[in-house]
Amino acid sequence: MRQAGRYLPEYRETRAKASNFIELCLSPDLATEITLQPVRRYGLDAAILFSDILVVPYGMGQRVWFEEGTGPRLDTLLDEKAVAALQPQALRATLAPVYETVARVRAALGPATALIGFAGAPWTVASYMIEGGTSKDFAKAKVWAYCDPASFQRLIDVLVEATTDHLLAQIEAGAEVVQIFDSWAGVWPEEALRRWCLAPLRRIVSGLRAVHPDVPVIAFPRGAGVAYETFAAEAGVDALGLDTTVPLAWAHERLQSRLAVQGNLDPVLLVAGGEAMRTAAAAILRALGDGPL
């Protein structure tokens, strides 16, 4: 969804003009071009801002870089002292190029094409900040949360503030919809999921609604399983992104009566293409095509 046109040859040509991925995200010229490329090629009904969820810790002063073939890397956040050193007040100034990109894209799009902004959810972003990158088991981050929930809560609080501000800035610059990605929500058991994923999401949504009550908010609590129903009932969002494990009939019965849903197609089917992809897409449309928009 938020990958914009990273699979396109024109993306790869544009990508080569930046020395690193962070520079690419913070270049309004390049990020605007990349955001618009899929819309030009396919006539899509929405553009998705080209950026990354890790611009938020970068904007607060944590060192972030990307290694080819490895992915994102961060200077590891080790303790409460490191949390206190974060600078959420610097976020808007540091990420001003991102908001300029939003404004440029909005100006370039026709009235029939929506612009979607996004951010990572506090738990998912915190996991990268603590682990120093991707993780197989999130052990460092989860041990911190279990052993010292008070200081972990302070990190989550900082990220709620920063994420809300980041999304508000995107809306002010021209984003008409925002999406919050909790890519690693599914690693928590029920009570921890409520505390570290659902509760922060509700606070962010509340903060957005207080300023922009009519801007739709989409949440994607990947891997939440049956807890998707809890998110539908309690998160206050307008739509949920579904991961590939959510049964379509269950989603129709338990989720679509409350809100809009999107997703569910296995991304690998887009690589496979052909009849397998068309069959799966048709099944999603049959099951979920008459739900709310």
Side-chain angles (χ1 to χ4, degrees):
M1 289 176 284
R2 68 177 178 83
Q3 301 301 317
R6 297 187 193 187
Y7 51 88
L8 298 177
E10 53 264 45
Y11 162 76
R12 291 191 288 273
E13 181 179 341
T14 306
R15 168 71 180 85
K17 297 178 182 179
S19 61
N20 59 70
F21 191 77
I22 288 292
E23 179 186 327
L24 190 64
C25 292
L26 296 180
S27 167
D29 287 343
L30 299 180
T32 297
E33 169 62 20
I34 291 170
T35 302
L36 293 172
Q37 285 172 350
V39 179
R40 291 196 199 109
R41 181 183 276 254
Y42 297 114
L44 303 171
D45 57 8
I48 301 170
L49 172 67
F50 180 80
S51 188
D52 194 86
I53 65 172
L54 297 181
V55 298
V56 167
Y58 177 88
M60 294 191 294
Q62 188 173 11
R63 192 166 80 95
V64 180
W65 70 100
F66 286 76
E67 295 183 356
E68 294 294 334
T70 301
R73 300 294 303 275
L74 302 87
D75 282 347
T76 305
L77 197 74
L78 297 174
D79 51 32
E80 191 170 1
K81 182 179 179 181
V83 174
L86 294 171
Q87 302 173 56
Q89 71 278 4
L91 186 94
R92 286 212 183 200
T94 305
L95 300 185
V98 174
Y99 313 133
E100 182 179 343
T101 297
V102 174
R104 290 190 187 188
V105 172
R106 181 62 271 165
L109 292 172
T113 307
L115 174 56
I116 304 173
F118 72 90
W123 153 245
T124 287
V125 175
S127 73
Y128 283 100
M129 296 172 76
I130 296 166
E131 301 284 343
T134 56
S135 174
K136 292 181 178 180
D137 56 13
F138 305 93
K140 293 179 183 177
K142 293 175 75 174
V143 166
W144 185 342
Y146 283 132
C147 293
D148 191 358
S151 69
F152 191 77
Q153 183 67 59
R154 281 187 276 278
L155 173 57
I156 294 296
D157 290 344
V158 169
L159 285 167
V160 167
E161 175 189 348
T163 304
T164 304
D165 197 33
H166 184 47
L167 291 170
L168 286 172
Q170 292 179 55
I171 293 168
E172 291 161 13
E176 297 155 292
V177 183
V178 293
Q179 183 158 4
I180 302 167
F181 289 84
D182 212 348
S183 304
W184 309 125
V187 306
W188 286 116
E190 181 181 6
E191 288 307 310
L193 179 72
R194 280 185 165 275
R195 178 167 185 178
W196 304 125
C197 298
L198 179 59
L201 173 63
R202 291 180 62 177
R203 290 169 59 195
I204 293 169
V205 173
S206 178
L208 297 176
R209 298 276 191 240
V211 184
H212 297 286
D214 298 325
V215 172
V217 181
I218 307 166
F220 182 34
R222 180 171 173 263
V226 295
Y228 264 105
E229 190 170 10
T230 304
F231 279 84
E234 301 181 22
V237 298
D238 300 279
L240 285 175
L242 308 182
D243 66 63
T244 61
T245 67
V246 179
L248 292 174
W250 183 88
H252 177 67
E253 178 184 349
R254 308 299 284 269
L255 303 179
Q256 276 195 306
S257 60
R258 299 179 182 271
L259 77 185
V261 297
Q262 66 175 36
N264 186 258
L265 186 70
D266 185 345
V268 176
L269 282 165
L270 300 176
V271 179
E275 188 59 31
M277 179 188 70
R278 289 190 288 271
T279 298
I284 293 171
L285 290 174
R286 283 196 303 273
L288 304 177
D290 61 351
L293 301 176

